[in-house]
Structure formats: C-alpha cells, structure tokens
Amino acid sequence: MKGIASFRRYFQNSFRKRLFGAFLLCSLIPLLLSLLILFSAFRGSRKEQVDKEGRESLKLIRESIIEEGDSITLALQELSDSVELKRALSEERKERAEVNRLLFSLTEGLRDTVRFDIYDKEGNLRYSTAPYLESYSLPTDWGILQRATRADSPVYESSEGSDSRSRLFQIAVRIKSQREAGNKETTGYALASLEEEAFRKLLSGKYGVQNGILLLSSYWRPVYSENILLPTELLSTLREEFLRGNPLEDPAGEFIYTVAPIEDMGLYLILRQEKPISKNMDFLMLLLLFLSILFGAALSFLMGFMMSRRLFTPIERLRSAMREVTLDHLDVRLRESEDELGELAGRFNRMTEALAENRRALLLNQETLLKNQKELNEAQIRMLQAQLNPHFLGNTLDAMKWM
C-alpha cells in the first residue's frame, strides 16, 4: 500500500509526470494487447491447422481401409456364391485347376496384398492364392471360423503380429450348401488375410512422414503401426480420455493423438502428430514475446518522454513567465502560435502588457500627486510666512495690549 501511495504521489505532484504516464499507458496497453492477441491467434490457428490435417489424414486412411475391406468382402461374397466352388467343396472333387482359376479370377487386383484361402467345413485348407499350398487347418469350434458359422455376414478378426508374414487382419465368409434355398448347412469358408505388407502399401503416403499411424483392435490392442510405438499404459490412458471425449495428449506433452473408429470392421485408427508448437518453439515464442514487450516498452517510454516534453514545453515557458511576473518583471513575453497553447500565450502577453500599462499609469499618477502635494506644501509655507511678517505681528501685539 505504501508503494502504491508513493507511486500516486509521484505522479500527482507533477502534471508533466501525469502526462508522461498517460502517454506511456496509451502506447503500452494497445501494444501488449496486440502482442497477446497475435500470440494467441497464431497458436490457435496453428493448432486448428494441425487438427484439420489430422482429421483429413484419418478420413483418407479410414476411407482407404473401408474401400479395401469392401472390395475384399465383395470378392469373398462372390466366392461363397460360386456354384463351382460349392460343388468342389461338397463333392470333394479334384477340380483344382478350375477352382484355382475361379479363385484367381475373382481376386484379381487384390491378391497382391491380400491372401485368399478356401477351407472346407472341417477347417482344412483346400485352395489358396499363396504361391504354395501348405497343409494347414483352422478350428471350427472357436475363432474366426466358429464366428463365421454363426453369422450370415462377413466377420472380422484382428491379431497382433511382429513379422511381415503375420496375418494381422482377417475377413471370413461362410460358404453355404446349395441344396436348398435358405439352407444353413456349412460347406466351407472363404478367408481373406491382410499381412503387414498389405497395410504398408494401403497406408503409404497418407499420414505424413513426421507422423505415426496405429491400427488397434476393438480391445485397443495394436494390430499395425508405423513410426509409432505406444506402451500399454499410454494406450489405456488414451482410451479413457477418448471415451470421455477429452483431447488426447501424451504425458510428456510432445504429441497429440486423433482417433477414428471403423465400427463395421472393429478397428480404431490413431494418428500421432507432433504438437503444433513444440516446447522449444513455445520457449522461443515466449522469449520473442518478452523481447517484443521489452522493446515496445522502451520505445513507448522514449516516445512518451519526448511527446510529454514537447507538449509540456509551452506550459513550462508559461510557468516560468508567470514566475517572472510575480518578481515584478512585466517585460516578459511568450511566443504565440495558432494552437490552444499559443492562444493562452497571447492572452498572457496581453495581460502583461495591460499590467505594464497600468503600472506606468500608476507611476504617472503618483508623480502628479507628489507634484501637487509639493505645491500645496509650498503654498501653506508661504501663507505661514505671510502671517509672521512685522505688520501682522504689530497688530497682534496691539490687540493684546488693549485686552
């Protein structure tokens, strides 16, 4: 409180200081507000730009995965509806060449990145687009074939994989018997498998070199990743924040995450981007903001001082002239101009001229009065001298004698 009182007293004791303070505030406040608004606007626009880029990248990736999934599903549906394939699976005929020709024909344009397999109702591998046909079987009482048996639509299953030969994502369709319409008997299964290379080709160039992409299962377990490796704890945290609808950031504050679900396929896409403004950039911007404020304050101080001095100079001259007038120096004059201060100076000059004229008139009147008083005194002295002459004195004595 004492500091505030001293500060007020410092400015209240001088009009020039108040004028300087007013100029300083009028220049500093807009400067500070402008810098803060620009700083906030830059950060906001940068964040909005990064968010927009992230949403557009995720949208492109999601559309690519869905389009690829639709193409694979359509091929599987055509395979499951093929009469030749049903006959080959149900009658166990050895028409391998015809079935392979059909298989390769229906999967044209997809088998470069997707592997298609045909299993019989016991889960034994019968046909495949793989370069070689291996002896392989899948259980039908659990897993993706069991789910396909119970479903009338394609089923999806994702799994973790670490090498390029791992089957990261699979789509299965049940092949029904052709005996009767509406028959639910299973003849076999058509299965499509996407390996790591398929996702690499599918997602290449769609998310930015500096970013990372992560494909998760419905349980938020990693299926495929590029340029990103997240610990389980961070994935759990991101999932909780995503379900709450909060912005996704890592604890270190270096990256932001955007999530896009693919509901039909049971997948989640996570795009990791660098924060719009990194810690180093944020520090440099704050330093630049501080230096700008410091430079602006110094410039405002200098300009305020110069402007207050320039505006206060005529007032200071008027103040000095009034001090001279109090010392009985009525010959002081101020330079007149066309502004308000010049008008005030002109009135001051006319006032001093009037004072000087009145003074001269007063002095002249005083001289006249002194002269008249002197003449009156001389007349009185002559009258007294006349009363003291011998004739007047003799008459006075005679009068006293007869008394």
Side-chain angles (χ1 to χ4, degrees):
M1 296 300 293
K2 292 183 178 180
I4 297 177
S6 301
F7 184 77
R8 287 182 177 179
R9 196 179 306 112
Y10 175 79
F11 282 97
Q12 288 177 352
N13 292 338
S14 173
F15 173 75
R16 180 178 180 180
K17 293 177 181 178
R18 292 198 301 272
L19 188 63
F20 169 69
F23 277 117
L24 194 62
L25 288 177
C26 290
S27 58
L28 273 181
I29 292 178
L31 174 65
L32 293 177
L33 291 177
S34 301
L35 288 175
L36 291 176
I37 291 174
L38 288 176
F39 181 72
S40 301
F42 174 77
R43 297 188 67 172
S45 62
R46 179 60 181 157
K47 185 178 184 302
E48 183 179 356
Q49 179 183 0
V50 172
D51 291 342
K52 181 179 179 181
E53 292 176 355
R55 290 191 300 268
E56 292 178 350
S57 298
L58 275 184
K59 181 180 178 181
L60 180 61
I61 295 172
R62 185 175 182 272
E63 291 176 351
S64 299
I65 293 178
I66 292 177
E67 182 180 356
E68 185 75 5
D70 292 341
S71 299
I72 295 172
T73 301
L74 179 60
L76 292 175
Q77 291 286 5
E78 291 178 349
L79 286 172
S80 66
D81 295 336
S82 172
V83 177
E84 292 81 358
L85 182 57
K86 291 180 180 181
R87 184 183 300 115
L89 290 174
S90 61
E91 299 177 1
E92 298 185 356
R93 298 173 58 182
K94 303 300 182 180
E95 300 175 352
R96 184 170 300 276
E98 289 78 4
V99 175
N100 283 335
R101 189 180 301 110
L102 174 66
L103 178 61
F104 276 76
S105 175
L106 293 178
T107 59
E108 183 69 29
L110 296 173
R111 61 177 181 270
D112 293 338
T113 55
V114 182
R115 172 175 171 169
F116 289 86
D117 298 322
I118 305 298
Y119 292 83
D120 59 20
K121 60 183 179 180
E122 285 80 19
N124 299 315
L125 180 61
R126 296 282 300 275
Y127 308 96
S128 177
T129 57
Y132 55 91
L133 184 63
E134 55 188 2
S135 178
Y136 188 76
S137 63
L138 289 177
T140 59
D141 54 351
W142 63 277
I144 189 171
L145 297 187
Q146 187 264 348
R147 292 173 53 212
T149 303
R150 297 182 177 181
D152 293 329
S153 59
V155 295
Y156 306 90
E157 183 174 278
S158 56
S159 60
E160 300 181 13
S162 58
D163 58 85
S164 59
R165 294 179 59 84
S166 299
R167 300 178 181 184
L168 303 182
F169 190 74
Q170 293 179 320
I171 306 175
V173 174
R174 180 168 69 102
I175 302 176
K176 301 176 184 180
S177 174
Q178 60 174 348
R179 294 177 182 176
E180 298 178 5
N183 185 26
K184 295 184 178 181
E185 183 180 349
T186 301
T187 302
Y189 305 91
L191 184 69
S193 302
L194 283 78
E195 300 178 354
E196 185 173 348
E197 184 64 23
F199 284 106
R200 183 177 294 111
K201 291 181 178 180
L202 185 62
L203 305 180
S204 177
K206 293 183 175 67
Y207 56 88
V209 179
Q210 74 279 7
N211 301 326
I213 192 71
L214 179 62
L215 189 65
L216 301 177
S217 66
S218 58
Y219 300 101
W220 279 63
R221 294 174 182 172
V223 176
Y224 173 80
S225 64
E226 278 286 343
N227 299 335
I228 181 175
L229 182 61
L230 300 181
T232 306
E233 296 80 6
L234 181 56
L235 278 177
S236 300
T237 302
L238 292 178
R239 183 182 184 184
E240 292 177 1
E241 296 299 322
F242 173 71
L243 294 177
R244 293 173 182 173
N246 298 330
L248 306 183
E249 297 184 2
D250 60 351
E254 297 180 356
F255 301 98
I256 58 176
Y257 301 88
T258 308
V259 180
I262 308 177
E263 295 85 356
D264 296 339
M265 303 177 70
L267 296 174
Y268 287 90
L269 280 171
I270 293 184
L271 178 67
R272 186 184 71 177
Q273 300 171 279
E274 293 184 356
K275 294 197 68 174
I277 301 178
S278 62
K279 290 184 177 180
N280 292 334
M281 188 175 180
D282 199 12
F283 173 77
L284 290 177
M285 289 185 62
L286 290 176
L287 180 61
L288 181 61
L289 178 64
F290 174 76
L291 293 178
S292 300
I293 292 176
L294 189 63
F295 176 76
L299 185 61
S300 298
F301 183 88
L302 179 62
M303 294 299 295
F305 178 80
M306 294 177 61
M307 291 296 295
S308 62
R309 182 178 180 180
R310 181 179 180 86
L311 293 178
F312 189 75
T313 297
I315 301 177
E316 180 63 26
R317 292 174 180 171
L318 179 60
R319 179 186 176 189
S320 300
M322 293 178 65
R323 188 182 299 111
E324 293 293 327
V325 170
T326 59
L327 297 177
D328 203 20
H329 298 159
L330 299 180
D331 56 345
V332 62
R333 295 293 183 272
L334 294 176
R335 186 177 61 185
E336 299 183 16
S337 59
E338 297 180 356
D339 56 5
E340 290 81 358
L341 292 176
E343 182 181 356
L344 186 62
R347 293 183 179 181
F348 176 82
N349 291 337
R350 288 190 291 274
M351 180 191 71
T352 53
E353 291 175 358
L355 288 176
E357 185 66 26
N358 292 336
R359 182 181 179 182
R360 286 193 294 271
L362 180 61
L363 292 177
L364 182 60
N365 291 336
Q366 287 179 350
E367 292 178 357
T368 303
L369 289 175
L370 290 175
K371 182 178 180 181
N372 293 335
Q373 186 66 35
K374 183 178 180 181
E375 292 177 354
L376 179 60
N377 292 336
E378 291 178 353
Q380 290 178 350
I381 292 173
R382 284 194 299 270
M383 185 182 66
L384 292 175
Q385 289 177 350
Q387 291 177 356
L388 293 176
N389 59 32
H391 177 74
F392 178 76
L393 184 60
N395 292 335
T396 303
L397 292 175
D398 287 339
M400 292 176 60
K401 176 179 178 184
W402 290 105
M403 288 179 63

